[in-house]
Amino acid sequence: LGKSGIKKRFLTRTFENFTVDKVNQKAYETAKAYAENFQDFKEKGDGLYFVGSFGTGKTHLAAAISLHLIKKGIPVICKTLIDMLGEVRKTFDDDSRVSEYEMLNLYKTVDLLVVDDLGKESPSEWALATFYAILNERYEACLPTIITTNYNDQELIERLSRKGDIKTAGAIVSRLHEVCYLVEMNWKDRRGWRQND
């Protein structure tokens, strides 16, 4: 669990404490079925693609899947792209104990890779090429990936290609189409102000 990359806030985001209603029931059931039948999905290399507005529970469900699998001893990495690439950059330091190859290989071969909040960053050409290399390796090896994002296809391509490489950004989205089941979560922000009792 400590190596999964799941931040402290999301360590308690389980299926048990996800508030289910008529609006989000389908998304919840899809995520829970994925976690409970992960080996079947893994054999085919199938992932999930959570897309929708902010505050709808995308990260909660992605974290719930991750925690469910980690409890079963299945290796999972769950990070934002910014954090993933930050870990790769750390390997460039002289005192790094991990090589760039080792870090990239971890992302390319882990049983499940969860990339949270894709599109929030404006990656450099190096970052976009590195992310493509990770996803393409997983695509070719039939290893599953889960994505959460606030952006539709065109918006995501535009955000990922802000530094100019629209073809690579388009190829990333195209590959995700082929290997992920779409889970749309477009409804009102469920986050509320904290109440002072």
Side-chain angles (χ1 to χ4, degrees):
L1 184 61
K3 295 179 180 179
S4 68
I6 301 174
K7 298 288 178 70
K8 183 177 179 180
R9 181 171 298 278
F10 301 107
L11 290 174
T12 57
R13 303 291 169 91
T14 63
F15 288 117
E16 289 71 27
N17 61 28
F18 186 84
T19 303
V20 185
D21 56 31
K22 290 180 180 178
V23 174
N24 64 25
Q25 185 171 1
K26 184 177 179 183
Y28 168 81
E29 289 176 351
T30 299
K32 198 161 192 294
Y34 185 88
E36 291 173 348
N37 301 282
F38 177 70
Q39 290 302 334
D40 293 337
F41 288 102
K42 184 188 172 190
E43 283 180 21
K44 296 178 284 186
D46 291 338
L48 297 176
Y49 189 88
F50 293 97
V51 61
S53 48
F54 48 83
T56 56
K58 298 182 300 299
T59 299
H60 187 139
L61 290 179
I65 292 169
S66 301
L67 294 168
H68 179 91
L69 297 180
I70 289 168
K71 282 183 181 178
K72 293 191 167 191
I74 297 169
V76 178
I77 292 177
C78 181
K79 296 183 177 186
T80 64
L81 181 57
I82 294 171
D83 287 344
M84 283 175 58
L85 296 174
E87 292 296 322
V88 176
R89 284 194 189 94
K90 283 181 186 177
T91 67
F92 302 158
D93 297 341
D94 293 337
D95 59 350
S96 176
R97 296 180 180 181
V98 181
S99 70
E100 179 186 10
Y101 172 82
E102 289 170 321
M103 183 58 65
L104 289 174
N105 194 55
L106 180 62
Y107 293 143
K108 290 175 179 178
T109 61
V110 67
D111 286 34
L112 177 64
L113 178 66
V114 180
V115 184
D116 188 38
D117 252 350
L118 186 61
K120 285 289 193 275
E121 59 292 301
S122 291
S124 64
E125 286 188 26
W126 168 83
L128 189 61
T130 301
F131 183 46
Y132 174 79
I134 293 167
L135 273 189
N136 191 57
E137 185 72 26
R138 297 184 65 79
Y139 170 83
E140 292 180 352
C142 289
L143 284 170
T145 303
I146 290 177
I147 301 289
T148 76
T149 184
N150 295 138
Y151 304 101
N152 65 35
D153 288 355
Q154 192 55 44
E155 290 170 337
L156 186 57
I157 290 170
E158 288 173 5
R159 293 190 67 82
L160 291 177
S161 62
R162 278 190 173 175
K163 303 290 170 79
D165 191 356
I166 196 164
K167 288 185 178 179
T168 299
I172 287 171
V173 173
S174 176
R175 276 162 174 71
L176 292 172
H177 274 227
E178 184 177 344
V179 298
C180 292
Y181 290 98
L182 179 65
V183 183
E184 294 186 274
M185 300 179 69
N186 286 302
W187 47 76
K188 186 178 178 183
D189 185 351
R190 300 296 179 91
R191 296 187 184 114
W193 290 106
R194 294 179 63 86
Q195 300 298 315
N196 190 0
D197 296 330

